[in-house]
Structure formats: structure tokens, C-alpha cells
mmCIF file of all heavy atoms in Angstrom:
data_model
loop_
_atom_site.group_PDB
_atom_site.id
_atom_site.type_symbol
_atom_site.label_atom_id
_atom_site.label_comp_id
_atom_site.label_asym_id
_atom_site.label_seq_id
_atom_site.Cartn_x
_atom_site.Cartn_y
_atom_site.Cartn_z
ATOM 1 N N VAL A 1 5.309 -1.962 -0.200
ATOM 2 C CA VAL A 1 3.924 -1.590 0.093
ATOM 3 C C VAL A 1 3.973 -0.681 1.315
ATOM 4 O O VAL A 1 4.409 -1.098 2.392
ATOM 5 C CB VAL A 1 3.044 -2.823 0.372
ATOM 6 C CG1 VAL A 1 1.615 -2.382 0.691
ATOM 7 C CG2 VAL A 1 3.057 -3.772 -0.822
ATOM 8 N N LEU A 2 3.549 0.547 1.139
ATOM 9 C CA LEU A 2 3.652 1.563 2.178
ATOM 10 C C LEU A 2 2.259 2.046 2.558
ATOM 11 O O LEU A 2 1.505 2.494 1.701
ATOM 12 C CB LEU A 2 4.518 2.717 1.669
ATOM 13 C CG LEU A 2 4.967 3.807 2.641
ATOM 14 C CD1 LEU A 2 6.215 4.506 2.074
ATOM 15 C CD2 LEU A 2 3.897 4.838 2.906
ATOM 16 N N VAL A 3 1.923 1.924 3.829
ATOM 17 C CA VAL A 3 0.634 2.407 4.336
ATOM 18 C C VAL A 3 0.879 3.662 5.157
ATOM 19 O O VAL A 3 1.731 3.664 6.055
ATOM 20 C CB VAL A 3 -0.054 1.334 5.208
ATOM 21 C CG1 VAL A 3 -1.326 1.893 5.840
ATOM 22 C CG2 VAL A 3 -0.377 0.097 4.379
ATOM 23 N N SER A 4 0.161 4.735 4.827
ATOM 24 C CA SER A 4 0.354 5.974 5.572
ATOM 25 C C SER A 4 -0.870 6.868 5.425
ATOM 26 O O SER A 4 -1.586 6.807 4.425
ATOM 27 C CB SER A 4 1.591 6.724 5.064
ATOM 28 O OG SER A 4 1.776 7.946 5.772
ATOM 29 N N HIS A 5 -1.105 7.685 6.456
ATOM 30 C CA HIS A 5 -2.136 8.723 6.382
ATOM 31 C C HIS A 5 -1.511 10.085 6.067
ATOM 32 O O HIS A 5 -2.214 11.080 5.985
ATOM 33 C CB HIS A 5 -2.900 8.805 7.707
ATOM 34 C CG HIS A 5 -3.777 7.616 7.951
ATOM 35 N ND1 HIS A 5 -3.323 6.474 8.562
ATOM 36 C CD2 HIS A 5 -5.078 7.396 7.646
ATOM 37 C CE1 HIS A 5 -4.316 5.594 8.634
ATOM 38 N NE2 HIS A 5 -5.384 6.132 8.089
ATOM 39 N N ARG A 6 -0.197 10.115 5.903
ATOM 40 C CA ARG A 6 0.505 11.361 5.602
ATOM 41 C C ARG A 6 0.614 11.542 4.094
ATOM 42 O O ARG A 6 1.198 10.712 3.405
ATOM 43 C CB ARG A 6 1.914 11.346 6.196
ATOM 44 C CG ARG A 6 2.021 11.687 7.661
ATOM 45 C CD ARG A 6 3.496 11.848 8.032
ATOM 46 N NE ARG A 6 3.658 12.301 9.395
ATOM 47 C CZ ARG A 6 4.836 12.641 9.915
ATOM 48 N NH1 ARG A 6 5.931 12.576 9.171
ATOM 49 N NH2 ARG A 6 4.919 13.046 11.170
ATOM 50 N N ASP A 7 0.068 12.642 3.582
ATOM 51 C CA ASP A 7 0.195 12.914 2.157
ATOM 52 C C ASP A 7 1.655 13.074 1.767
ATOM 53 O O ASP A 7 2.076 12.632 0.679
ATOM 54 C CB ASP A 7 -0.579 14.181 1.790
ATOM 55 C CG ASP A 7 -2.089 13.981 1.841
ATOM 56 O OD1 ASP A 7 -2.541 12.835 1.679
ATOM 57 O OD2 ASP A 7 -2.808 14.967 2.036
ATOM 58 N N SER A 8 2.457 13.701 2.642
ATOM 59 C CA SER A 8 3.865 13.914 2.324
ATOM 60 C C SER A 8 4.590 12.589 2.149
ATOM 61 O O SER A 8 5.491 12.471 1.316
ATOM 62 C CB SER A 8 4.534 14.737 3.432
ATOM 63 O OG SER A 8 4.361 14.112 4.703
ATOM 64 N N THR A 9 4.210 11.577 2.901
ATOM 65 C CA THR A 9 4.840 10.259 2.783
ATOM 66 C C THR A 9 4.392 9.556 1.508
ATOM 67 O O THR A 9 5.203 8.970 0.782
ATOM 68 C CB THR A 9 4.495 9.391 4.002
ATOM 69 O OG1 THR A 9 5.005 10.017 5.183
ATOM 70 C CG2 THR A 9 5.092 8.006 3.879
ATOM 71 N N MET A 10 3.113 9.630 1.186
ATOM 72 C CA MET A 10 2.580 8.895 0.042
ATOM 73 C C MET A 10 3.039 9.466 -1.297
ATOM 74 O O MET A 10 2.941 8.798 -2.326
ATOM 75 C CB MET A 10 1.050 8.889 0.088
ATOM 76 C CG MET A 10 0.463 8.183 1.306
ATOM 77 S SD MET A 10 1.141 6.519 1.557
ATOM 78 C CE MET A 10 0.634 5.707 0.044
ATOM 79 N N ARG A 11 3.567 10.674 -1.301
ATOM 80 C CA ARG A 11 3.982 11.280 -2.575
ATOM 81 C C ARG A 11 5.176 10.565 -3.209
ATOM 82 O O ARG A 11 5.489 10.815 -4.380
ATOM 83 C CB ARG A 11 4.295 12.769 -2.374
ATOM 84 C CG ARG A 11 3.035 13.621 -2.258
ATOM 85 C CD ARG A 11 3.354 15.062 -1.932
ATOM 86 N NE ARG A 11 4.063 15.719 -3.014
ATOM 87 C CZ ARG A 11 3.487 16.267 -4.079
ATOM 88 N NH1 ARG A 11 2.167 16.201 -4.215
ATOM 89 N NH2 ARG A 11 4.198 16.874 -5.000
ATOM 90 N N VAL A 12 5.851 9.675 -2.477
ATOM 91 C CA VAL A 12 6.976 8.945 -3.077
ATOM 92 C C VAL A 12 6.501 7.706 -3.832
ATOM 93 O O VAL A 12 7.296 7.070 -4.527
ATOM 94 C CB VAL A 12 8.011 8.523 -2.004
ATOM 95 C CG1 VAL A 12 8.500 9.722 -1.229
ATOM 96 C CG2 VAL A 12 7.448 7.463 -1.068
ATOM 97 N N ALA A 13 5.227 7.351 -3.711
ATOM 98 C CA ALA A 13 4.733 6.097 -4.274
ATOM 99 C C ALA A 13 4.552 6.181 -5.791
ATOM 100 O O ALA A 13 4.201 7.232 -6.331
ATOM 101 C CB ALA A 13 3.402 5.718 -3.621
ATOM 102 N N ASP A 14 4.788 5.067 -6.472
ATOM 103 C CA ASP A 14 4.520 4.983 -7.910
ATOM 104 C C ASP A 14 3.018 4.911 -8.168
ATOM 105 O O ASP A 14 2.515 5.472 -9.140
ATOM 106 C CB ASP A 14 5.191 3.747 -8.511
ATOM 107 C CG ASP A 14 6.711 3.816 -8.424
ATOM 108 O OD1 ASP A 14 7.262 4.899 -8.664
ATOM 109 O OD2 ASP A 14 7.331 2.789 -8.119
ATOM 110 N N THR A 15 2.312 4.184 -7.317
ATOM 111 C CA THR A 15 0.860 4.057 -7.409
ATOM 112 C C THR A 15 0.270 4.243 -6.023
ATOM 113 O O THR A 15 0.790 3.710 -5.046
ATOM 114 C CB THR A 15 0.453 2.664 -7.940
ATOM 115 O OG1 THR A 15 1.048 2.463 -9.224
ATOM 116 C CG2 THR A 15 -1.065 2.550 -8.063
ATOM 117 N N VAL A 16 -0.795 5.031 -5.938
ATOM 118 C CA VAL A 16 -1.448 5.297 -4.660
ATOM 119 C C VAL A 16 -2.874 4.764 -4.725
ATOM 120 O O VAL A 16 -3.612 5.033 -5.676
ATOM 121 C CB VAL A 16 -1.467 6.804 -4.334
ATOM 122 C CG1 VAL A 16 -2.199 7.058 -3.021
ATOM 123 C CG2 VAL A 16 -0.049 7.353 -4.251
ATOM 124 N N MET A 17 -3.237 3.986 -3.705
ATOM 125 C CA MET A 17 -4.608 3.504 -3.579
ATOM 126 C C MET A 17 -5.194 4.049 -2.291
ATOM 127 O O MET A 17 -4.557 3.972 -1.229
ATOM 128 C CB MET A 17 -4.644 1.972 -3.577
ATOM 129 C CG MET A 17 -4.234 1.355 -4.891
ATOM 130 S SD MET A 17 -4.393 -0.467 -4.895
ATOM 131 C CE MET A 17 -3.088 -0.911 -3.751
ATOM 132 N N PHE A 18 -6.380 4.604 -2.378
ATOM 133 C CA PHE A 18 -7.083 5.142 -1.224
ATOM 134 C C PHE A 18 -8.147 4.136 -0.804
ATOM 135 O O PHE A 18 -9.082 3.860 -1.544
ATOM 136 C CB PHE A 18 -7.717 6.492 -1.575
ATOM 137 C CG PHE A 18 -8.424 7.149 -0.420
ATOM 138 C CD1 PHE A 18 -7.845 7.200 0.837
ATOM 139 C CD2 PHE A 18 -9.677 7.727 -0.601
ATOM 140 C CE1 PHE A 18 -8.490 7.810 1.892
ATOM 141 C CE2 PHE A 18 -10.327 8.338 0.451
ATOM 142 C CZ PHE A 18 -9.737 8.380 1.702
ATOM 143 N N LEU A 19 -7.946 3.534 0.384
ATOM 144 C CA LEU A 19 -8.847 2.496 0.868
ATOM 145 C C LEU A 19 -9.705 3.009 2.011
ATOM 146 O O LEU A 19 -9.259 3.809 2.834
ATOM 147 C CB LEU A 19 -8.065 1.274 1.361
ATOM 148 C CG LEU A 19 -7.501 0.307 0.320
ATOM 149 C CD1 LEU A 19 -6.279 0.882 -0.356
ATOM 150 C CD2 LEU A 19 -7.161 -1.023 0.958
ATOM 151 N N GLU A 20 -10.928 2.517 2.054
ATOM 152 C CA GLU A 20 -11.818 2.808 3.171
ATOM 153 C C GLU A 20 -12.668 1.571 3.441
ATOM 154 O O GLU A 20 -13.327 1.050 2.541
ATOM 155 C CB GLU A 20 -12.716 4.012 2.860
ATOM 156 C CG GLU A 20 -13.542 4.465 4.056
ATOM 157 C CD GLU A 20 -14.272 5.768 3.779
ATOM 158 O OE1 GLU A 20 -13.597 6.749 3.373
ATOM 159 O OE2 GLU A 20 -15.510 5.812 3.947
ATOM 160 N N ASN A 21 -12.587 1.064 4.674
ATOM 161 C CA ASN A 21 -13.318 -0.150 5.056
ATOM 162 C C ASN A 21 -13.007 -1.321 4.127
ATOM 163 O O ASN A 21 -13.884 -2.102 3.760
ATOM 164 C CB ASN A 21 -14.830 0.119 5.085
ATOM 165 C CG ASN A 21 -15.210 1.157 6.119
ATOM 166 O OD1 ASN A 21 -14.635 1.203 7.209
ATOM 167 N ND2 ASN A 21 -16.164 2.009 5.778
ATOM 168 N N GLY A 22 -11.718 -1.413 3.731
ATOM 169 C CA GLY A 22 -11.297 -2.534 2.903
ATOM 170 C C GLY A 22 -11.634 -2.417 1.435
ATOM 171 O O GLY A 22 -11.392 -3.350 0.669
ATOM 172 N N VAL A 23 -12.185 -1.287 1.024
ATOM 173 C CA VAL A 23 -12.583 -1.084 -0.370
ATOM 174 C C VAL A 23 -11.684 -0.017 -0.997
ATOM 175 O O VAL A 23 -11.453 1.042 -0.402
ATOM 176 C CB VAL A 23 -14.058 -0.644 -0.476
ATOM 177 C CG1 VAL A 23 -14.443 -0.386 -1.929
ATOM 178 C CG2 VAL A 23 -14.968 -1.696 0.134
ATOM 179 N N ILE A 24 -11.155 -0.293 -2.198
ATOM 180 C CA ILE A 24 -10.333 0.686 -2.911
ATOM 181 C C ILE A 24 -11.258 1.723 -3.543
ATOM 182 O O ILE A 24 -12.025 1.411 -4.458
ATOM 183 C CB ILE A 24 -9.471 0.009 -3.984
ATOM 184 C CG1 ILE A 24 -8.514 -1.004 -3.350
ATOM 185 C CG2 ILE A 24 -8.688 1.053 -4.782
ATOM 186 C CD1 ILE A 24 -7.706 -1.802 -4.360
ATOM 187 N N LEU A 25 -11.201 2.953 -3.043
ATOM 188 C CA LEU A 25 -12.044 4.018 -3.568
ATOM 189 C C LEU A 25 -11.384 4.751 -4.729
ATOM 190 O O LEU A 25 -12.073 5.217 -5.638
ATOM 191 C CB LEU A 25 -12.377 5.018 -2.455
ATOM 192 C CG LEU A 25 -13.142 4.464 -1.248
ATOM 193 C CD1 LEU A 25 -13.464 5.589 -0.268
ATOM 194 C CD2 LEU A 25 -14.429 3.772 -1.694
ATOM 195 N N GLU A 26 -10.069 4.890 -4.669
ATOM 196 C CA GLU A 26 -9.343 5.573 -5.739
ATOM 197 C C GLU A 26 -8.019 4.862 -5.964
ATOM 198 O O GLU A 26 -7.400 4.354 -5.036
ATOM 199 C CB GLU A 26 -9.073 7.038 -5.378
ATOM 200 C CG GLU A 26 -10.316 7.900 -5.241
ATOM 201 C CD GLU A 26 -9.965 9.337 -4.909
ATOM 202 O OE1 GLU A 26 -9.100 9.910 -5.619
ATOM 203 O OE2 GLU A 26 -10.536 9.893 -3.961
ATOM 204 N N ARG A 27 -7.590 4.841 -7.214
ATOM 205 C CA ARG A 27 -6.282 4.296 -7.578
ATOM 206 C C ARG A 27 -5.718 5.159 -8.682
ATOM 207 O O ARG A 27 -6.340 5.299 -9.731
ATOM 208 C CB ARG A 27 -6.406 2.842 -8.023
ATOM 209 C CG ARG A 27 -5.080 2.229 -8.468
ATOM 210 C CD ARG A 27 -5.232 0.758 -8.766
ATOM 211 N NE ARG A 27 -3.945 0.172 -9.170
ATOM 212 C CZ ARG A 27 -3.655 -1.108 -9.058
ATOM 213 N NH1 ARG A 27 -4.540 -1.943 -8.549
ATOM 214 N NH2 ARG A 27 -2.493 -1.562 -9.451
ATOM 215 N N GLN A 28 -4.558 5.737 -8.432
ATOM 216 C CA GLN A 28 -3.968 6.673 -9.384
ATOM 217 C C GLN A 28 -2.453 6.513 -9.383
ATOM 218 O O GLN A 28 -1.866 6.107 -8.379
ATOM 219 C CB GLN A 28 -4.285 8.129 -8.966
ATOM 220 C CG GLN A 28 -5.739 8.539 -9.034
ATOM 221 C CD GLN A 28 -6.141 8.990 -10.426
ATOM 222 O OE1 GLN A 28 -5.298 9.319 -11.249
ATOM 223 N NE2 GLN A 28 -7.438 8.985 -10.683
ATOM 224 N N PRO A 29 -1.789 6.843 -10.502
ATOM 225 C CA PRO A 29 -0.331 6.959 -10.455
ATOM 226 C C PRO A 29 0.051 7.990 -9.396
ATOM 227 O O PRO A 29 -0.662 8.984 -9.195
ATOM 228 C CB PRO A 29 0.039 7.440 -11.865
ATOM 229 C CG PRO A 29 -1.109 6.995 -12.721
ATOM 230 C CD PRO A 29 -2.328 7.094 -11.856
ATOM 231 N N GLY A 30 1.153 7.746 -8.716
ATOM 232 C CA GLY A 30 1.520 8.612 -7.608
ATOM 233 C C GLY A 30 1.616 10.079 -7.970
ATOM 234 O O GLY A 30 1.176 10.951 -7.210
ATOM 235 N N ASP A 31 2.162 10.383 -9.163
ATOM 236 C CA ASP A 31 2.336 11.787 -9.524
ATOM 237 C C ASP A 31 1.019 12.461 -9.902
ATOM 238 O O ASP A 31 0.950 13.686 -10.001
ATOM 239 C CB ASP A 31 3.341 11.936 -10.664
ATOM 240 C CG ASP A 31 2.954 11.123 -11.895
ATOM 241 O OD1 ASP A 31 1.976 10.344 -11.818
ATOM 242 O OD2 ASP A 31 3.627 11.259 -12.931
ATOM 243 N N GLU A 32 -0.043 11.673 -10.107
ATOM 244 C CA GLU A 32 -1.346 12.245 -10.448
ATOM 245 C C GLU A 32 -2.294 12.296 -9.250
ATOM 246 O O GLU A 32 -3.208 13.117 -9.213
ATOM 247 C CB GLU A 32 -2.023 11.432 -11.560
ATOM 248 C CG GLU A 32 -1.289 11.470 -12.893
ATOM 249 C CD GLU A 32 -2.007 10.661 -13.954
ATOM 250 O OE1 GLU A 32 -3.189 10.295 -13.717
ATOM 251 O OE2 GLU A 32 -1.411 10.384 -15.001
ATOM 252 N N PHE A 33 -2.069 11.422 -8.288
ATOM 253 C CA PHE A 33 -3.027 11.266 -7.202
ATOM 254 C C PHE A 33 -3.234 12.562 -6.433
ATOM 255 O O PHE A 33 -4.333 12.876 -5.992
ATOM 256 C CB PHE A 33 -2.547 10.172 -6.237
ATOM 257 C CG PHE A 33 -3.588 9.712 -5.267
ATOM 258 C CD1 PHE A 33 -4.569 8.822 -5.664
ATOM 259 C CD2 PHE A 33 -3.610 10.178 -3.964
ATOM 260 C CE1 PHE A 33 -5.546 8.382 -4.779
ATOM 261 C CE2 PHE A 33 -4.570 9.746 -3.076
ATOM 262 C CZ PHE A 33 -5.541 8.844 -3.481
ATOM 263 N N PHE A 34 -2.147 13.333 -6.268
ATOM 264 C CA PHE A 34 -2.247 14.553 -5.488
ATOM 265 C C PHE A 34 -2.367 15.807 -6.347
ATOM 266 O O PHE A 34 -2.465 16.911 -5.820
ATOM 267 C CB PHE A 34 -1.023 14.677 -4.575
ATOM 268 C CG PHE A 34 -0.928 13.568 -3.562
ATOM 269 C CD1 PHE A 34 -0.101 12.489 -3.775
ATOM 270 C CD2 PHE A 34 -1.677 13.604 -2.401
ATOM 271 C CE1 PHE A 34 -0.019 11.457 -2.844
ATOM 272 C CE2 PHE A 34 -1.607 12.579 -1.475
ATOM 273 C CZ PHE A 34 -0.768 11.510 -1.697
ATOM 274 N N THR A 35 -2.348 15.650 -7.660
ATOM 275 C CA THR A 35 -2.417 16.817 -8.527
ATOM 276 C C THR A 35 -3.604 16.795 -9.485
ATOM 277 O O THR A 35 -3.956 17.823 -10.057
ATOM 278 C CB THR A 35 -1.127 16.939 -9.362
ATOM 279 O OG1 THR A 35 -0.926 15.730 -10.106
ATOM 280 C CG2 THR A 35 0.074 17.170 -8.450
#
């Protein structure tokens, strides 16, 4: 489980979740989240 504000770091993840105030706003496969 990797927490980061760096997009370059998060690109290695299989699944990326974007959280704000404890709420999951977005959840995508890692290769889709940034593309």
C-alpha cells in the first residue's frame, strides 16, 4: 500500500485510488488512471 502525492510514484501501482477527506473519489487500474 503506497501513499503518495507524486504522479511519477503512483504510476507503478496496479490500482490507484484518489482519496479526499477519507472518501475514495476515483479508483482505476494503474495503467488507466493517468491515461
Side-chain angles (χ1 to χ4, degrees):
V1 179
L2 190 158
V3 174
S4 179
H5 290 87
R6 279 189 174 187
D7 289 335
S8 56
T9 298
M10 297 309 298
R11 283 175 66 84
V12 304
D14 296 319
T15 302
V16 178
M17 293 184 291
F18 182 45
L19 282 75
E20 187 172 307
N21 297 323
V23 178
I24 299 175
L25 299 183
E26 295 181 50
R27 178 174 181 156
Q28 294 275 342
D31 56 353
E32 295 180 13
F33 193 79
F34 297 99
T35 56

